[in-house]
Amino acid sequence: MRTIEVNQIINREKLSPLQWLVFILGFLVFFCDGLDTGIIGFIAPALLDDWGISKPQLAPVLSAALVGMSIGAIISGPLSDKFGRKGIIVTTTLLFSVFTILCGFASSTQELMIYRFITGVGLGAAMPNISTMVSEYMPVKRKAFLTGLAGCGFMLGISCGGVLSAYLLEGFGWSKVIILGGSIPLLLVIALLLALPESTQSLIARNRQDKALAILEKIQGHPFSEPVKLVLPQTETTNENPVKIVLGKYLWGSSMLWLCCFTSLLVFYLLTSWMPTILKTAGFSTQQFSLIAAIFPFGGVIGATIMGWYMDKVNPTTVIKYAYLIAFGLFLVAGVV
């Protein structure tokens, strides 16, 4: 029996139809994740007017999903290890879709806050799993670029939420806009159930060799000519506690990555959540503030695509340094303008 490492099949020069399918479905999950994450910010000005509430009263509603996303991201890893990535991706996509729809029927800030919190759990759990799934199916030479490109769906989803709000908010009201935003992922759930393959690495880790072999045969386009045993990519093994390693040997690097994530998400969610309300207060119309706010995450699509391409060519750390430096300068310019 021949032993094959799973990445020997995955690392092709040309992506197979199944790999493209995983990429497209991954992009769509990111898109729906971004759509339902950002849509609450776009409908916030109309919600303030309709319910006659103040901005401080709305703040817990806008923050609830972010708290839920943190919890969802933490619990999704152990759950996917036990039940597989596909099941978690489908379940959490269904979760944030249903509870986004329920937000449209909320009658109080407390009720809306609970719905947004549960929505956030689904949003936060879906994203790391679909990101890992896409990464596992992409060839190593183009892994950073294609995984980053699929992740652009998140920013594009937020931008589309702004476009939807610009043209539908005044005519249909905030509740119908958010119900529409939650209905779109329901269609995706059906596609995921029918077409998304399971993670081959997850299958091998759970001793389901037959299903992993069937998927890899689809990728290579023909059956294996002899009995094969699949193994996971070799990694450095150690008996040390992983948390101790991160907080010891890799403390500095980990701290910098955490800081990058913290500052990026702080600025990103602050602006996407509150920019429409701030612009309305400044005197912009519904269509104007929705479209202006939609431009911000759309810029992230361009930035992530460019960064992903460069990260495959040069040191990724260097790309991150210069990206932050450029962002710092542009925020200063935006503040002056």
Side-chain angles (χ1 to χ4, degrees), residues 9 30 33 57 59 79 176-177 193 197 215 229 244 303 306:
I9 310 299
F30 274 114
D33 204 302
Q57 288 176 295
L79 288 175
K176 289 186 174 62
V177 171
L193 279 170
I215 292 171
K229 180 182 179 182
K244 186 178 179 181
I306 295 172

Side-chain angles (χ1 to χ4, degrees), residues 51 53 57-58 60-61 64 106-117:
W51 285 0
I53 58 177
Q57 288 176 295
L58 185 64
V61 173
S107 57
S108 67
T109 53
Q110 290 80 9
E111 189 179 350
L112 186 57
M113 183 174 66
I114 293 170
Y115 290 156
R116 283 300 292 173
F117 172 78

Side-chain angles (χ1 to χ4, degrees), residues 34-44 100 116 161 164-165 177-178 181:
L35 177 65
D36 286 359
T37 297
I39 200 165
I40 191 73
F42 292 106
I43 62 99
T100 298
R116 283 300 292 173
L164 279 176
S165 300
V177 171
I178 202 167

Side-chain angles (χ1 to χ4, degrees), residues 85-96:
R85 298 201 191 284
K86 178 179 177 177
I88 298 302
I89 291 167
V90 172
T91 302
T92 53
T93 303
L94 179 63
L95 182 70
F96 73 69

Side-chain angles (χ1 to χ4, degrees), residues 113-228:
M113 183 174 66
I114 293 170
Y115 290 156
R116 283 300 292 173
F117 172 78
I118 300 174
T119 299
V121 174
L123 294 168
M127 194 181 302
N129 276 286
I130 196 63
S131 180
T132 303
M133 175 83 87
V134 172
S135 177
E136 287 177 356
Y137 271 91
M138 296 302 108
V140 67
K141 289 183 179 179
R142 290 180 285 173
K143 189 182 294 287
F145 175 69
L146 290 173
T147 305
L149 191 61
C152 289
F154 181 79
M155 281 83 77
L156 194 61
I158 296 179
S159 292
C160 285
V163 174
L164 279 176
S165 300
Y167 295 103
L168 300 179
L169 196 55
E170 288 187 339
F172 292 91
W174 67 268
S175 60
K176 289 186 174 62
V177 171
I178 202 167
I179 290 170
L180 176 61
S183 300
I184 294 172
L186 277 180
L187 301 176
L188 179 60
V189 168
I190 299 172
L192 293 172
L193 279 170
L194 296 176
L196 183 68
E198 179 57 277
S199 159
T200 53
Q201 296 193 19
S202 174
L203 288 170
I204 295 169
R206 291 183 290 138
N207 295 317
R208 302 179 72 175
Q209 289 269 331
D210 53 340
K211 291 196 173 184
L213 278 168
I215 292 171
L216 292 176
E217 286 177 344
K218 286 183 181 179
I219 291 175
Q220 68 179 7
H222 58 81
F224 290 102
S225 58
E226 57 182 310
V228 168

Side-chain angles (χ1 to χ4, degrees), residues 287-309:
Q287 189 171 16
Q288 286 174 329
F289 72 65
S290 296
L291 292 176
I292 292 171
I295 291 172
F296 175 64
F298 184 74
V301 176
I302 299 171
T305 304
I306 295 172
M307 285 183 67
W309 186 85

